[in-house]
Amino acid sequence: MIDLYPAIDLRGGRCVRLYQGDFSRETVYGDDPVAVARAYEDAGAPWIHVVDLDASRGQGSNRELVIAVAAAVSVPVQTGGGVRDTSLLDEGVSRIVLGSVAVGEPDLAARLIQEAPGQVAIGLDHWDGQVRVRGWEDGAGVELFEALAWPELSGAASFVVTNIARDATLEGPDLDGYRRLLEVTDTPVVASGGVGSLDDLRALDCIGVSGVIVGKALYEGRFDVTGALEVLAGP
């Protein structure tokens, strides 16, 4: 069974989703992220995935809210967005996701991976195979498969890979892309972007990713956490 990561994306203290990472195409789904996290936990979610969108752009921070979410639930919380050190691990967060720093300063990423074994994931967000950083707004000048092979990133807990073109579209994940990724890395891959149905979860389970992040499909009622877990548990 792959892990389900219900997503809470934070902007200005509210739960939002961005269509294809576009900050001008934002949908607000609530102003109480802690309550959303508790509801996910109550439904049986094994993880909560939190993204600080403001911090990812270097334009503010929801750090205290991330810490509040981690304190409010007993399940592990994974968080990314502007993360440059392991300090959130001392504040109740179970795993951090390094994004911009992983491709901009791989040596620093390597030190953080060594500092907190099993608690540091690498976020690789891409558009047509080109990695994007700082809230997906800037190109990193790095190809996805190039970054996967960097020795500095070996030892990461997982690669959290988002196909930005699919994100919040509900049009289905990039299954072919994830199959290719799994052929070239032994590091667990967590899929993110495009999930819109229970069939999408079944398909991802079949190809061997270690986890799946789901956001808009839950907010829009395409399915709920309970239904997702039943599918991922198998027949």
Side-chain angles (χ1 to χ4, degrees):
M1 176 177 173
I2 67 176
D3 283 325
L4 177 72
Y5 295 78
I8 301 175
D9 289 5
L10 302 175
R11 189 181 184 199
R14 301 182 297 179
C15 301
V16 306
R17 294 299 291 173
L18 307 179
Y19 187 85
Q20 295 181 330
D22 186 342
F23 279 80
S24 69
R25 303 177 72 180
E26 174 190 89
T27 302
V28 178
Y29 287 101
D31 58 5
D32 192 347
V34 169
V36 173
R38 285 175 171 155
Y40 286 152
E41 178 185 33
D42 290 344
W47 283 86
I48 307 292
H49 177 78
V50 183
V51 179
D52 187 341
L53 293 172
D54 294 314
S56 73
R57 307 169 86 193
Q59 298 181 0
S61 172
N62 295 278
R63 179 184 175 92
E64 293 307 313
L65 191 48
V66 172
I67 293 170
V69 167
V73 297
S74 59
V75 295
V77 171
Q78 170 177 278
T79 190
V83 177
R84 295 186 54 84
D85 57 41
T86 60
S87 61
L88 280 167
L89 298 177
D90 297 324
E91 301 286 355
V93 170
S94 296
R95 185 182 295 163
I96 55 173
V97 182
L98 306 179
S100 299
V101 71
V103 293
E105 302 175 63
D107 288 342
L108 173 57
R111 291 199 297 274
L112 298 180
I113 290 169
Q114 293 172 359
E115 182 179 327
Q119 293 183 285
V120 180
I122 302 298
L124 296 174
D125 309 323
H126 71 97
W127 190 288
D128 197 24
Q130 300 297 313
V131 176
R132 300 190 67 81
V133 293
R134 285 176 286 280
W136 300 354
E137 296 184 315
D138 298 336
V142 176
E143 292 186 355
L144 175 61
F145 283 84
E146 176 186 354
L148 285 170
W150 285 352
E152 293 91 343
L153 305 184
S154 64
S158 66
F159 287 123
V160 180
V161 181
T162 304
N163 184 326
I164 301 168
R166 303 288 184 107
D167 200 58
T169 66
L170 302 174
E171 294 176 356
D174 179 14
L175 296 175
D176 288 341
Y178 289 119
R179 288 189 186 96
R180 292 195 297 271
L181 291 176
L182 292 166
E183 290 175 355
V184 301
T185 181
D186 293 327
T187 299
V189 173
V190 175
S192 173
V195 171
S197 70
L198 293 175
D199 283 340
D200 291 335
L201 296 181
R202 292 185 182 97
L204 285 167
D205 195 13
C206 286
I207 66 174
V209 296
S210 70
V212 55
I213 294 169
V214 182
K216 188 173 183 178
L218 294 173
Y219 285 125
E220 294 284 342
R222 296 295 185 95
F223 54 82
D224 58 19
V225 168
T226 301
L229 292 173
E230 288 175 353
V231 164
L232 295 176

